[in-house]
Amino acid sequence: MGVNYLLTKVQVCSIGFLMKAHYKLLLALVVGAALGVGLHPFADTEWIRWISENVLATIGQVFLRSIFMIVVPMVFAGLVLGVYELGQHSGLGRVISKTLLYTVLASSASVIIGVSLMNIMQPGKTVHIPQEVNSSIAELQNNVSQAKSGIQALVEIVPKNPLHAAVYALDGEMLALMFFALVLGVALSRLPKIQEGKEKSTFISLLEELYAASLLIVDYVMAYAPYAVFALVFTSTFKFGYELLISLLYYVGVVVLALCIQQFVVYALLLKAFTKRSPWEFFRACREVYIYAFATSSSNATLPKSLELAETELGIRPAISRFVLTVGSTANQNGTALFEGITVLFLAQVYGVELGFASQMKVVLMSIIAGVGTAGVPGGSLPLIMIVMQQVGVPVEGLGLILGVDRFLDMCRTTINVSGDLVIAALVDDDSVA
Ligand code: ASP
């Protein structure tokens, strides 16, 4: 598996580095927030304002643009490869359809839980945004999410020209690009082997390299993250004051609560309804893998452990666990989908961007798809969350607010991602026995 080999190499270099980076990010968050809040009363002082608006805001912008730079190649390559690998195992038709069904079920449940909790608890609503910021946001929202009618939005998911969709992916056409990637992945997996004796086509190898290189570029950009976090957090707290911080704690609480509901209600119900296993016993048996996922913040890095545990402790047939867990470590990320839905709505609330029912449905749909396209590495969801934000007109600068707490949330959501893979492997296994 070329892509897994390349990914493992990238992760081995990146995980150790990111562990330490985690502390730097927290420090950057704390110092940036403390300085920003401390200097908020001087928000009208000319020179402090100048530094905030010209120096620090620029540092933040360059960071965000650097992540954006890699989004289109990464999403395209990741989705084509994910679907291609799924299609490769066409002998396992029943296993594939069951896996897809449970994946869609679990992912949809997770995003709906997240979005509902956000609508009920509204942690972002308590933040007061100054008038001038509101007006520039209104402009941004107008530009980006020029609300199309429901039918038209659906029709436009099918791109007239995939190159056009790629060029304008960050200006509202990302879903169209994703659609093309999915169709291309299916078609590539159905092509007769062009060169006999060759395991895979040159095009697939090219995409694997593009994907691995994209992840590496994300790593490079993340090396600069602590400075960007400092800059972004300072500029926001300097502008908005301490209310923002209180609301951030509330936001972390909502994400953790939603993840717990996914684990202890949704997964438990799925296990109870479709298998003969006791959910509690199942969760107990998975403890070690949970700890590993929490510590590494990477579904891909946890994969070897999950494979071992599925066969030994859980007694899942290897043919099934290997397929479901390998594909799931990239394509089934319920915790990430939930986190993305919550975060986009939270930042919309913070910036006072009203998201109506249609926009919220767009967030739900895109978060589910983004869960498929997210790399199972630390911070893998960050580039994708920016797309969802942009598609519904939420200012992407807002991401700077949550980056400082993101590592902790990444640990939590990765645990749920991996747990979901194991649950789905058990569901597919027990179902295929019956
Ligand atoms: N770290 C997550 C995973 O590997 C992906 C993400 O949500 O950033 O599952």
Side-chain angles (χ1 to χ4, degrees):
M1 289 225 145
V3 79
N4 283 341
Y5 169 75
L6 285 169
L7 288 179
T8 313
K9 282 204 85 96
V10 171
Q11 282 149 23
V12 169
C13 324
S14 64
I15 287 165
F17 161 76
L18 281 166
M19 292 276 224
K20 280 181 242 133
H22 160 50
Y23 294 108
K24 286 196 206 150
L25 281 175
L26 262 185
L27 190 70
L29 170 83
V30 173
V31 177
L35 265 181
V37 169
L39 292 177
H40 176 64
F42 306 100
D44 289 333
T45 310
E46 197 63 44
W47 68 272
I48 309 182
R49 208 174 155 149
W50 188 88
I51 293 181
S52 171
E53 282 172 8
N54 294 293
V55 181
L56 296 174
T58 307
I59 294 177
Q61 285 300 321
V62 171
F63 173 75
L64 294 173
R65 290 181 70 101
S66 313
I67 297 190
F68 266 144
M69 176 178 78
I70 205 59
V71 161
V72 170
M74 194 174 112
V75 167
F76 179 72
L79 270 180
V80 174
L81 286 174
V83 178
Y84 171 80
E85 281 182 12
L86 260 177
Q88 284 295 290
H89 303 261
S90 49
L92 298 170
R94 192 173 143 83
V95 172
I96 292 174
S97 50
K98 292 276 169 204
T99 308
L100 276 180
L101 179 77
Y102 289 128
T103 302
V104 171
L105 210 69
S107 278
S108 313
S110 70
V111 185
I112 289 167
I113 289 171
V115 168
S116 312
L117 275 187
M118 281 309 287
N119 281 303
I120 298 167
M121 300 174 83
Q122 310 216 329
K125 277 271 159 83
T126 48
V127 182
H128 164 73
I129 303 283
Q131 195 49 46
E132 42 164 312
V133 183
N134 267 333
S135 50
S136 60
I137 288 162
E139 208 177 284
L140 205 150
Q141 194 177 17
N142 262 341
N143 294 344
V144 181
S145 77
Q146 305 220 335
K148 295 173 190 135
S149 73
I151 300 274
Q152 190 55 19
L154 268 182
V155 169
E156 289 183 13
I157 289 180
V158 183
K160 227 180 350 183
N161 174 354
L163 292 181
H164 186 278
V167 170
Y168 292 96
L170 299 177
D171 299 305
E173 297 209 15
M174 183 53 83
L175 267 182
L177 179 68
M178 286 181 165
F179 181 83
F180 175 66
L182 293 175
V183 175
L184 184 65
V186 172
L188 284 170
S189 71
R190 300 275 155 88
L191 277 182
K193 291 269 174 289
I194 299 168
Q195 287 153 286
E196 284 306 328
K198 241 189 146 189
E199 203 194 314
K200 60 178 109 143
S201 74
T202 316
F203 184 61
I204 293 295
S205 309
L206 192 94
L207 286 179
E208 285 178 352
E209 281 189 41
L210 177 65
Y211 188 64
S214 305
L215 291 181
L216 207 54
I217 294 175
V218 171
D219 268 4
Y220 297 153
V221 177
M222 290 312 270
Y224 167 57
Y227 309 101
V229 166
F230 171 81
L232 290 164
V233 171
F234 177 88
T235 40
S236 335
T237 46
F238 177 63
K239 219 185 269 169
F240 304 148
Y242 70 93
E243 284 167 331
L244 191 62
L245 293 180
I246 294 172
S247 139
L248 207 60
L249 279 184
Y250 192 12
Y251 153 77
V252 170
V254 175
V255 176
V256 173
L257 174 67
L259 290 173
C260 287
I261 296 178
Q262 178 73 9
Q263 170 77 9
F264 296 110
V265 180
V266 176
Y267 291 162
L269 282 178
L270 283 174
L271 284 168
K272 259 213 146 355
F274 298 111
T275 72
K276 297 187 182 69
R277 299 168 190 263
S278 139
W280 191 243
E281 285 303 314
F282 187 88
F283 297 154
R284 267 175 65 89
C286 296
R287 270 177 313 182
E288 200 193 323
V289 168
Y290 295 161
I291 293 171
Y292 202 81
F294 189 80
T296 60
S297 289
S298 168
S299 303
N300 287 170
T302 312
L303 183 59
K305 281 259 159 229
S306 325
L307 284 169
E308 187 193 310
L309 178 118
E311 287 175 32
T312 53
E313 300 283 320
L314 303 177
I316 298 174
R317 282 169 294 160
I320 290 184
S321 65
R322 275 178 213 155
F323 169 74
V324 178
L325 295 178
T326 307
V327 174
S329 70
T330 300
N332 174 51
Q333 304 205 339
N334 311 150
T336 293
L338 177 155
F339 160 79
E340 296 194 351
I342 289 191
T343 304
V344 174
L345 292 201
F346 169 71
L347 292 173
Q349 287 170 9
V350 168
Y351 283 92
V353 177
E354 280 303 327
L355 295 184
F357 184 73
S359 297
Q360 293 207 15
M361 283 301 107
K362 196 169 177 184
V363 172
V364 169
L365 188 69
M366 288 204 75
S367 300
I368 295 172
I369 299 177
V372 179
T374 298
V377 297
S381 53
L382 295 181
L384 287 130
I385 204 164
M386 289 169 74
I387 302 168
V388 188
M389 288 170 72
Q390 222 197 17
Q391 302 286 310
V392 290
V394 177
V396 288
E397 292 77 12
L399 202 63
L401 300 179
I402 58 123
L403 274 188
V405 288
D406 184 60
R407 178 63 187 210
F408 170 70
L409 293 179
D410 199 358
M411 294 163 116
C412 300
R413 66 181 182 256
T414 305
T415 310
I416 303 304
N417 288 343
V418 172
S419 174
D421 296 339
L422 288 164
V423 168
I424 291 181
L427 295 177
V428 174
D429 187 44
D430 287 22
D431 216 28
S432 311
V433 169

